[in-house]
Amino acid sequence: MRDVEAEDTEDKYSAIKLNGNPITELRYADDTALLSKTTEGLNELMQNVKKFSQNKNLLLNAKKTKVMDSDKSPASSILIDNEALENVSHFNYLGANIEADGKITPDIRKRLAIATSKLKSMMNIWKSQSTPLKMRILKSCIFPVATYGCETWTLTKKDVEKIDAFEMKCYRKILRIPWTARRPNQTILQELGMKERQLLKNIKQLKLKYFGHVVRHNNLEKLCLEGAVEGRRGRGRPRRRWTQDISDWLGFSVREATAASILAQDRDGFRSAVWEATSYKDPP
């Protein structure tokens, strides 16, 4: 038997449903995201939020409120006190880019560009003679800038290539090796006493740990991760999903995706699986 209140919410606001559960809003600290499948439903949500906020002496700032439509939806026009809200294709939240089409590549390139800028601003440090000191500074000051928010990334082949290229650029910079030297990457890693690159490995560890943390709790985050949205997928090749990285790194097939969630319930076993997935393996 369906919940009458949930059914009314779904009909009134055209709520998005995950596993049959209507979701109309997501709250992050002092920010709120309103969700609806139609412009009319979103407008109804906005007016109700405005009404109840004013009852608590809280006023909505139309200039700070944005509207974002998915890449296949028509542009929505929402008014607050006869002032139209800006309709955007992307926006920045807590340092991360949110794209209307759901792609993460622009955010990855942005993080790498910021980290490259920081790398160039520390040229006086890279001119010193102590390579171990420079490596510690690189790992503590530059790499965290590049990997900020990486737990949400869905990595494509091109994204991985960009990350690997950025890492080698950092190593060449601290060793003061110009690109005109034409030295292979493997010789640079050997000079640093490394068997393999580390940045992508760190990203895998962070994302796998975050996955384990989410699936061990019954909350909205787990529902968003594992829940199914109503509707049919469009024609063409399906886009790579966030959980596909998890399945690939842990060695599960797409059909065995739920096995990763079951494995995560055992903290020690999952910790061993993460270590095995990200540890260096000698080539055959």
Side-chain angles (χ1 to χ4, degrees), residues 47 70 103 110 112 151 214 232 281:
Q47 300 308 321
S70 67
K103 294 183 179 180
K110 173 189 172 184
L112 296 181
E151 293 88 348
V214 169
R232 300 177 60 183
K281 298 177 179 61

Side-chain angles (χ1 to χ4, degrees), residues 120-138:
K120 294 180 179 179
S121 68
M122 302 173 69
M123 287 301 299
N124 290 336
I125 296 177
W126 310 139
K127 291 178 181 179
S128 67
Q129 300 298 318
S130 177
T131 299
L133 175 61
K134 290 189 286 187
M135 283 295 294
R136 289 198 298 269
I137 294 175
L138 179 68

